[in-house]
Amino acid sequence: MKIKSLILRDFGIFKGRTDFDLDNDLVVISGGNYTGKTTLARALYFVLCGKVLTAGLKLKDLKTAGAASATAGLVYTHSDQIFRTYRSTDKRVQNEIYQHQNWKIIPANAPAYPLLNPEQWRIGCFLKEDELGELLVKTPAGRRDMLNQILGVDQLLRLQKTFIEVRRISKRKVRPLLAQQESLYFGVMPNGEAELQAAKTKVAALEAEVRLPDDRDAKRQLGREWTHQKKMLDERLKKLFAEREHLLTGFQNAAELPAALEETGIRLAGREKQELVFEKIKEKRITLSAELKRTEALLADTAQLQDKQKCPTCHQEIAETHLATLESRWRRQYDKIEIEIAQIKDKEREAEAALQSLVLLAQRETDLNARAERLKIVKKEINDLHLQIDALKFKIASAGELHDDKTDRSEINRQLEQARENLSKFEKQHILYIENQKLIKRVNTQAHLARRNQLLCEWIADALNLTLQSAIGSSAASIAASVEASLQDFNLFHSQNIATDLQKSGLTPEVDNRPFHTLSGSEKAILYLSMKIALARLTPGADFIVTDNPTAHLDTANRDLMAKYLARLALEKQVIVLTNDSDFAAQLDDQSGDNKKIVL
Amino acid sequence: MRLEEISLSFQQQLRVCSNTKKYHGQFTREDEELALNAFESVFEDSALSPYMIFEALTGDQEA
């Protein structure tokens, strides 16, 4: 928007109606003290947002002394149309549009000028003489709030606050559910399913027993039979143990029997050889006996020949010497054979004795084999008996209670009653357990939902925070670039390091590693003006700036630079300069020949 | 800032958050629309109380 004219009625120093034609890119309003320069700035601000520009003043302080109210009117162009807005201190507003050569009233609540908040108007379009001082006395938080309003993120901040509260509500919903969950987990009851089933089984068994007494008697009878069978088996077992003892006679234990059997087998292995030796000796004795008989016959023949002159076979004469030789020869042979026979008989006896002992050994082997075989059978039988006895013992033990003749019906009924009481107790416990489980499930579902809701709220709050940071971050970067460009125009700071966090410092950034408060008055003024221009550039609609005494704190050189700067700024936006410095007004005039001059 | 711009920025940030470890796979398009609607409602109507927003977001009547 661009301002065309300002109409005042009973506004401050301006009594009655006073019109100011401001329709130029650069308007210089000069005048001495108390001529109404600052009043013009207040009037412009009042028309735009209905607030008072100067801190400490109230609306009623704007009117001329003695007047009922003050009214300010503003004629301005916006979106290629001409509008007029009147605002009075008694809170009446009238918006008009210039159409067909006439002013037409438009709704008061829908002004044609940009809908900026008071802070945006103030910072974007007005530079008060004492504004920097006002800024510096604010707290950092206050300055930050102001900046947020200027950046237009105050709406976002409101949203952030609201959604933080929403997140807090979601947390509050979760907390009691978590506490309930925890208490339920700590107080979790035992399942009791096994105890319940055991009680049911016991009751069923006792009820069956009560209903079927005959069956119990049959079992008792069976128990008695099993006991009798066990006694028989025990006796048989004793006999088998005795037989085993008998079979193992001569042995320390059962392991010695197979060892002895093995040893016997080894020894009997040479029996055939021994028999062969004995047969050979016997054969030789028989041969020698036959030889002895033949020799004996020869001797007898020789003795018969001694009485005869001639040989009865060949009828030859027999020489006595020859017969003596023959007899001697046969005698020697006979003696020799007799000795050999005696020797061979000795050997034969020895061999026979050895053979006899082997026969005895074979008999022992047969005996041991028989004992071993029997022992095996006995052992197997003993094992089988043990198994049978164990089975009977188990059966007898299981039938022990039934077999106990002392158990009677009243005792069973008493047990049944007790079992039913236990069952009832366990059933109640189980019902409580099931109820508890249902409650846990319900609380878990609620807690899960509440946690999800909390996460949803956190998600929105986080996204909103990022949106805010993004909005502030992009604005801050843009401001920093703009301020750096302005400072270059003034040739004030060497290292353009203004990209300090304006949000963090609250519009008092550190420049060239110098804290804002250590800058000189002129440096502060120029830096502040640069920041305002930069902020105004981010505010759509803040297309003009009203500067009240912009040369305060500036030396001659900087005043010259300021004149140049404002003249250049007038190319970008409408600049209205209020000054009591006639030299500066002249300097501005030098910079821009077609500016509008108003002298109050 | 205009609602359309800030709403678009908020939607983008919702998606950025959805890709973080904390929220990954937790929310659907419907949740995003729900959040966006809540955001726009609060932006346009500053009189909405946090309880009403919580109820609108979660359907929890006891808030």
Side-chain angles (χ1 to χ4, degrees):
Chain A
M1 70 179 280
K2 280 204 171 178
I3 295 167
K4 289 177 80 68
S5 64
L6 178 69
I7 306 146
L8 302 180
R9 183 182 292 277
D10 296 334
F11 205 99
I13 200 170
F14 301 101
K15 191 171 182 182
R17 174 171 174 150
T18 314
D19 288 18
F20 295 93
D21 180 9
L22 306 174
D23 190 12
N24 200 294
D25 287 336
L26 178 60
V27 181
V28 182
I29 303 173
S30 59
N33 291 331
Y34 311 114
T35 53
K37 297 187 300 299
T38 306
T39 306
L40 289 178
R42 284 179 197 150
L44 276 168
Y45 184 70
F46 173 70
V47 178
L48 291 167
C49 61
K51 304 279 180 186
V52 183
L53 182 63
T54 311
L57 285 185
K58 294 178 180 173
L59 279 180
K60 64 181 171 70
D61 299 328
L62 295 178
K63 65 187 180 183
T64 307
S69 65
T71 305
L74 188 67
V75 181
Y76 55 93
T77 57
H78 183 58
S79 305
D80 297 328
Q81 286 186 304
I82 302 172
F83 296 92
R84 187 165 65 186
T85 296
Y86 284 109
R87 193 187 290 274
S88 70
T89 52
D90 52 7
K91 298 187 178 174
R92 283 181 294 132
V93 180
Q94 183 170 305
N95 293 314
E96 297 170 351
I97 184 167
Y98 191 70
Q99 284 177 336
H100 313 297
Q101 308 295 322
N102 279 313
W103 289 105
K104 189 181 169 187
I105 295 173
I106 55 174
N109 58 357
Y113 53 77
L115 276 172
L116 302 182
N117 62 46
E119 206 62 46
Q120 283 175 320
W121 281 123
R122 190 175 69 74
I123 296 290
C125 299
F126 294 87
L127 175 61
K128 294 190 292 174
E129 194 176 359
D130 53 350
E131 189 173 316
L132 185 55
E134 281 179 18
L135 175 81
L136 292 176
V137 296
K138 280 178 183 259
T139 62
R143 290 202 299 269
R144 270 198 296 276
D145 287 347
M146 192 181 81
L147 180 61
N148 288 333
Q149 283 185 38
I150 299 159
L151 294 176
V153 294
D154 53 329
Q155 187 81 328
L156 269 176
L157 284 165
R158 181 180 65 78
L159 258 75
Q160 192 189 33
K161 272 185 187 172
T162 307
F163 278 101
I164 284 170
E165 188 55 39
V166 171
R167 187 174 62 187
R168 204 170 287 145
I169 292 167
S170 70
K171 270 188 185 174
R172 278 204 298 269
K173 294 285 290 176
V174 171
R175 222 172 285 138
L177 286 166
L178 290 179
Q180 197 178 357
Q181 255 186 335
E182 201 173 334
S183 70
L184 282 170
Y185 285 136
F186 273 115
V188 72
M189 300 172 70
N191 184 337
E193 186 72 36
E195 290 87 344
L196 182 68
Q197 287 305 323
K200 277 181 179 172
T201 311
K202 190 166 184 182
V203 167
L206 288 167
E207 281 175 349
E209 198 176 342
V210 168
R211 278 198 303 274
L212 301 168
D214 293 341
D215 182 42
R216 192 184 58 167
D217 291 343
K219 282 183 181 174
R220 282 183 188 154
Q221 181 62 34
L222 207 56
R224 279 194 286 273
E225 282 177 18
W226 288 335
T227 310
H228 178 69
Q229 280 181 24
K230 185 176 171 292
K231 273 183 190 169
M232 301 284 285
L233 290 174
D234 283 342
E235 282 174 16
R236 172 77 185 133
L237 191 63
K238 271 184 193 171
K239 284 181 184 171
L240 285 171
F241 277 131
E243 188 179 352
R244 192 176 67 171
E245 287 295 317
H246 175 69
L247 288 170
L248 289 173
T249 307
F251 297 104
Q252 293 290 328
N253 53 44
E256 284 184 3
L257 179 60
L261 199 56
E262 193 181 350
E263 189 188 340
T264 311
I266 293 165
R267 285 171 63 189
L268 281 171
R271 186 180 174 184
E272 278 184 19
K273 194 179 172 183
Q274 190 64 37
E275 280 175 348
L276 203 62
V277 169
F278 176 70
E279 284 301 320
K280 277 185 179 174
I281 292 169
K282 194 176 173 184
E283 206 172 289
K284 194 169 182 179
R285 181 183 57 77
I286 292 166
T287 310
L288 284 172
S289 296
E291 188 71 22
L292 189 65
K293 280 182 181 174
R294 194 172 62 84
T295 307
E296 197 176 356
L298 285 171
L299 277 171
D301 287 347
T302 308
Q304 283 175 1
L305 285 174
Q306 282 179 349
D307 297 336
K308 296 174 179 176
Q309 295 291 322
K310 289 184 181 176
C311 175
T313 309
C314 63
H315 302 289
Q316 295 281 329
E317 283 186 12
I318 299 170
E320 280 187 14
T321 54
H322 182 65
L323 281 173
T325 306
L326 276 175
E327 188 184 4
S328 165
R329 184 176 153 191
W330 299 134
R331 179 59 61 194
R332 278 199 307 273
Q333 188 172 330
Y334 183 85
D335 292 342
K336 186 184 169 190
I337 289 169
E338 244 183 2
I339 291 164
E340 281 181 4
I341 284 173
Q343 286 174 346
I344 206 84
K345 276 184 179 176
D346 287 344
K347 281 184 182 177
E348 191 179 2
R349 273 193 297 277
E350 283 173 12
E352 196 174 4
L355 207 55
Q356 191 61 37
S357 72
L358 284 172
V359 169
L360 289 172
L361 201 60
Q363 284 172 357
R364 178 167 169 74
E365 187 187 27
T366 309
D367 177 50
L368 288 176
N369 270 329
R371 283 162 74 179
E373 285 299 317
R374 181 64 192 156
L375 195 62
K376 271 185 191 172
I377 291 164
V378 168
K379 273 185 180 175
K380 190 176 176 307
E381 211 169 330
I382 287 169
N383 283 339
D384 289 347
L385 279 173
H386 273 306
L387 289 173
Q388 286 177 37
I389 289 166
D390 287 345
L392 279 171
K393 274 182 186 171
F394 180 74
K395 283 178 179 178
I396 291 162
S398 64
E401 277 186 33
L402 295 171
H403 191 59
D404 186 3
D405 289 330
K406 288 174 186 171
T407 308
D408 56 15
R409 303 288 295 168
S410 63
E411 177 61 19
I412 291 167
N413 283 331
R414 194 192 61 74
Q415 285 179 6
L416 181 60
E417 201 176 323
Q418 181 68 38
R420 278 177 178 156
E421 274 178 22
N422 282 341
L423 179 62
S424 172
K425 190 178 81 181
F426 287 130
E427 275 174 346
K428 279 177 190 167
Q429 277 182 5
H430 194 64
I431 288 165
L432 281 175
Y433 169 78
I434 287 168
E435 289 298 320
N436 190 250
Q437 287 299 306
K438 278 182 190 170
L439 184 61
I440 287 172
K441 199 175 173 184
R442 192 166 66 242
V443 171
N444 280 348
T445 310
Q446 285 174 351
H448 174 73
L449 192 65
R451 273 200 293 267
R452 195 189 178 280
N453 288 343
Q454 186 188 349
L455 197 66
L456 179 75
C457 294
E458 281 176 5
W459 179 46
I460 294 171
D462 286 354
L464 195 52
N465 198 27
L466 286 178
T467 310
L468 189 65
Q469 283 175 14
S470 163
I472 291 172
S474 61
S475 301
S478 172
I479 293 167
S482 177
V483 171
E484 279 172 11
S486 297
L487 293 178
Q488 276 179 356
D489 287 345
F490 284 98
N491 197 23
L492 263 184
F493 300 102
H494 300 292
S495 64
Q496 286 80 38
N497 189 22
I498 193 69
T500 315
D501 190 359
L502 288 170
Q503 171 76 10
K504 196 175 173 183
S505 65
L507 283 173
T508 53
E510 192 176 276
V511 185
D512 281 356
N513 295 322
R514 291 166 63 196
F516 187 84
H517 292 278
T518 63
L519 302 176
S520 72
S522 60
E523 283 174 334
K524 278 181 195 166
I526 291 167
L527 176 58
Y528 185 65
L529 176 64
S530 303
M531 284 193 293
K532 278 180 77 79
I533 299 297
L535 288 167
R537 281 179 181 141
L538 289 176
T539 315
D543 301 326
F544 67 93
I545 183 159
V546 180
T547 63
D548 192 359
N549 261 340
T551 52
H553 307 293
L554 300 185
D555 58 12
T556 311
N558 279 325
R559 233 177 11 231
D560 191 35
L561 285 172
M562 180 61 82
K564 284 179 184 170
Y565 179 74
L566 291 176
R568 204 161 41 248
L569 188 64
L571 301 173
E572 184 188 325
K573 56 165 68 190
Q574 188 180 15
V575 178
I576 299 170
V577 181
L578 307 169
T579 180
N580 55 11
D581 187 342
S582 54
D583 291 342
F584 180 64
Q587 277 177 314
L588 279 170
D589 200 27
D590 290 343
Q591 292 295 327
S592 173
D594 59 345
N595 59 354
K596 189 177 281 294
K597 285 172 281 185
I598 299 172
V599 180
L600 295 175
Chain B
M1 294 179 96
R2 288 189 304 129
L3 175 61
E4 291 79 15
E5 292 167 358
I6 200 72
S7 192
L8 186 67
S9 173
F10 176 67
Q11 190 175 17
Q12 286 169 351
Q13 298 305 340
L14 278 174
R15 288 178 185 169
V16 168
C17 282
S18 289
N19 289 328
T20 59
K21 193 180 172 186
K22 183 179 176 182
Y23 303 111
H24 186 71
Q26 295 282 341
F27 301 111
T28 59
R29 289 272 170 198
E30 285 74 24
D31 293 321
E32 188 182 302
E33 272 181 34
L34 197 67
L36 212 53
N37 285 340
F39 176 85
E40 286 174 358
S41 303
V42 182
F43 195 92
E44 286 172 338
D45 185 0
S46 59
L48 279 175
S49 76
Y51 287 102
M52 288 164 77
I53 299 159
F54 179 76
E55 190 180 318
L57 274 173
T58 63
D60 195 331
Q61 298 290 323
E62 293 171 13

